[in-house]
Amino acid sequence: MITHFDLAENELEFLHPSLAAMMPNIEKLDLSKNQLFKMAQGHKVLFAQLLLSLRHLKIINLSSNYLSTIPTKMFIKSHNLQFIDLSWNGLEQVTFTLSHLINLEVLLLRNNKIKDFDVLSMRNIDSVIANISYMTHNKLTVYLEYNPLSCSKFETEAFINWLLSTKSVKIPLSNLTCSDENGSFRAIDQATFKYVQGICRRRIIIISTSAASGLMALVALVTIVAVYRYRKMTKRKANRIKLINRLRNGETSCEYVVFLSYSEHDQIFVKDYLYEKLNENLKQMTRINKDLVCQSDGRHGQSIIQENGNYILKSCALIAVVTDNYHCDPNCFFDLDYACSLLMPIVIFINENTDKAIFEQKMLKPYIKKPRVTWKFENNQYNMNTTIEDLCSSLLDIIANSGKIE
């Protein structure tokens, strides 16, 4: 038969929902000036269920409990609530559902930490009138006095406008103030709303100016990059043409464009696939009607090392055809070492299936960062990660920009 239950000022930290269930006819429950924030933090589910059995509850006082938030469905079963006191807590928003409380007349939110209401909070409060608009009923009154309301940021515009224009609830404004950008307190009125609108306009101008400046900087950067790339491409093309003309006129010390360095175990691949294609494409690109690719052929009565050395000396660049056999061949070691001593451009032409640890070998380690082309054998044919045409173009560009061609 208990209808009024007062547990105020008891330093309560926990109250099990089963206790409330023993008194289902309670109409007024006072839990003010306790420490129920500990239950809200440590036993969230039980705290949310605290009032579920109190179907006849009309007045609930949870003030002065240091609560920072109220569970969404805290009052979901208390359809007869008329008075909710949540003052003197640490609330920042109205996170709990109110739409079903058609009898609610007073919501006390004084002395909390409310700076403004977000869209959800305003919607929760307005939802009460949405369900009783067809009935003759006193409007819900929401008390917000002694909260640190803000009117110093553009985000508060909607909140200030809602305070001044809402028709759904009564909000006494006579004692409400908000702090502006200077820390001064302003009354909640149309002048303050215009003040906040001014902050919004100023922010829009700043954002627009920043965006415009950023766009201009981006355009400038893109332009600089485009000009740089165009100049680089133009210079590369001019250098390539200059190199080709010098090769045609015999104005360089190079008789050949490139020397092919490879292990004798790979000569079938080099001669059948690489040599002819590379040679023919270089001849077409330079319009020079002679062989531009050289390789050791053992027909000059010289040792392989002597022959390779002569060819390298007559070449503008060296392509190292690297497979698992390469680092085991002493002649290949000589080729790389000699070309490097001449400061000659070197391109690594490597089989994809070659163990990458090969570059940890003393012989190849210095060349790990050299320009590289990969190839592999699949479906009974050889495939490169680029075309022979692109390889020839890159080779000519590397030679032209090496600065070592006289």
Side-chain angles (χ1 to χ4, degrees):
M1 300 301 295
I2 297 176
T3 58
H4 293 64
F5 197 39
D6 188 347
L7 288 173
E9 299 185 68
N10 277 291
E11 298 186 4
L12 288 175
E13 298 179 5
F14 184 85
L15 186 64
H16 202 280
S18 60
L19 177 62
M22 295 178 184
M23 298 172 284
N25 295 315
I26 289 179
E27 296 181 359
K28 180 179 179 180
L29 178 61
D30 190 348
L31 298 173
S32 63
K33 298 181 181 179
N34 283 295
Q35 298 184 35
L36 292 178
F37 74 95
K38 295 183 180 180
M39 180 180 178
Q41 293 174 357
H43 304 276
K44 294 181 180 180
V45 174
L46 290 177
F47 183 69
Q49 298 173 351
L50 186 59
L51 307 178
L52 292 184
S53 61
L54 304 182
R55 304 296 180 91
H56 302 285
L57 190 63
K58 295 181 179 180
I59 299 174
I60 178 65
N61 189 345
L62 286 166
S63 64
S64 301
N65 270 284
Y66 308 102
L67 298 170
S68 59
T69 185
I70 300 296
T72 303
K73 297 183 178 182
M74 184 78 175
F75 310 114
I76 198 67
K77 298 295 184 179
S78 305
H79 294 274
N80 294 307
L81 269 176
Q82 299 175 4
F83 186 100
I84 300 176
D85 189 350
L86 296 172
S87 56
W88 290 97
N89 280 296
L91 304 180
E92 296 181 2
Q93 300 292 335
V94 176
T95 56
F96 45 94
T97 301
L98 295 170
S99 59
H100 60 294
L101 302 180
I102 61 175
N103 296 305
L104 188 61
E105 297 180 3
V106 175
L107 176 60
L108 288 180
L109 295 172
R110 294 182 177 128
N111 288 97
N112 275 280
K113 296 182 179 180
I114 299 170
K115 293 183 178 180
D116 58 45
F117 278 158
D118 58 20
V119 174
L120 178 60
S121 294
M122 291 184 282
R123 187 180 300 159
N124 281 339
I125 294 175
D126 285 342
S127 67
V128 177
I129 194 66
N131 288 331
I132 61 174
S133 57
Y134 63 90
M135 301 169 60
T136 302
H137 193 280
N138 293 325
K139 283 186 178 180
L140 167 64
T141 302
V142 181
Y143 294 91
L144 294 171
E145 290 86 348
Y146 314 115
N147 277 287
L149 304 181
S150 172
C151 49
S152 61
K153 299 180 180 180
F154 81 98
E155 293 93 345
T156 61
E157 180 187 16
F159 173 59
I160 299 298
N161 182 49
W162 178 78
L163 288 176
L164 294 170
S165 61
T166 182
K167 305 299 183 188
S168 301
V169 297
K170 295 178 183 178
I171 302 177
L173 300 177
S174 57
N175 294 319
L176 290 188
T177 59
C178 61
S179 59
D180 60 20
E181 291 179 305
N182 301 317
S184 301
F185 290 99
R186 290 173 168 267
I188 305 294
D189 53 24
Q190 288 298 329
T192 296
F193 180 59
K194 291 181 179 179
Y195 171 79
V196 176
Q197 285 183 315
I199 295 175
C200 295
R201 286 192 294 270
R202 189 164 71 245
R203 180 177 175 84
I204 292 172
I205 293 173
I206 292 173
I207 292 175
S208 300
T209 303
S210 300
S213 299
L215 181 60
M216 290 176 64
L218 180 60
V219 170
L221 179 61
V222 171
T223 303
I224 291 171
V225 171
V227 170
Y228 170 77
R229 289 182 175 177
Y230 174 77
R231 289 181 177 177
K232 188 175 180 180
M233 180 182 67
T234 303
K235 183 180 178 181
R236 185 169 61 244
K237 186 176 181 180
N239 287 343
R240 187 195 304 172
I241 293 173
K242 183 178 179 181
L243 170 65
I244 292 173
N245 289 333
R246 294 180 69 181
L247 288 170
R248 285 176 184 168
N249 300 328
E251 296 175 356
T252 72
S253 60
C254 301
E255 183 179 339
Y256 301 98
V257 171
V258 64
F259 172 76
L260 294 178
S261 171
Y262 57 92
S263 168
E264 61 179 3
H265 298 289
D266 300 314
Q267 61 181 334
I268 295 177
F269 160 70
V270 173
K271 291 180 179 179
D272 293 351
Y273 176 76
L274 184 59
Y275 175 82
E276 290 296 336
K277 291 184 178 181
L278 191 61
N279 194 37
E280 288 303 316
N281 274 276
L282 283 172
K283 289 165 70 173
Q284 289 178 13
M285 294 183 72
T286 60
R287 297 182 182 179
I288 298 175
N289 191 25
K290 69 170 188 174
D291 288 339
L292 298 175
V293 180
C294 60
Q295 59 182 341
S296 176
D297 52 24
R299 294 182 301 177
H300 296 86
Q302 299 173 313
S303 68
I304 296 296
I305 288 181
Q306 285 180 315
E307 187 177 4
N308 287 4
N310 290 333
Y311 276 132
I312 291 172
L313 200 56
K314 296 177 182 180
S315 302
C316 298
L318 179 143
I319 290 181
V321 184
V322 178
T323 65
D324 289 326
N325 303 313
Y326 194 84
H327 75 288
C328 299
D329 193 324
N331 296 325
C332 296
F333 175 76
F334 168 80
D335 295 344
L336 281 176
D337 194 45
Y338 188 42
C340 189
S341 68
L342 296 175
L343 302 179
M344 177 180 289
I346 297 173
V347 175
I348 303 297
F349 192 79
I350 185 169
N351 188 325
E352 278 190 6
N353 296 322
T354 300
D355 187 357
K356 300 303 182 289
I358 194 174
F359 284 100
E360 295 300 320
Q361 301 290 331
K362 182 178 180 182
M363 172 182 169
L364 285 170
K365 196 168 186 178
Y367 308 101
I368 192 170
K369 294 185 179 179
K370 291 291 184 181
R372 188 181 304 184
V373 178
T374 61
W375 61 277
K376 60 184 176 181
F377 185 77
E378 61 180 3
N379 299 325
N380 295 319
Q381 61 181 0
Y382 295 104
N383 296 307
M384 287 194 299
N385 67 337
T386 185
T387 63
I388 286 289
E389 292 80 5
D390 287 343
L391 174 59
C392 293
S393 297
S394 298
L395 187 61
L396 291 172
D397 288 340
I398 291 170
I399 296 170
N401 291 285
S402 66
K404 302 300 179 183
I405 304 303
E406 298 180 357

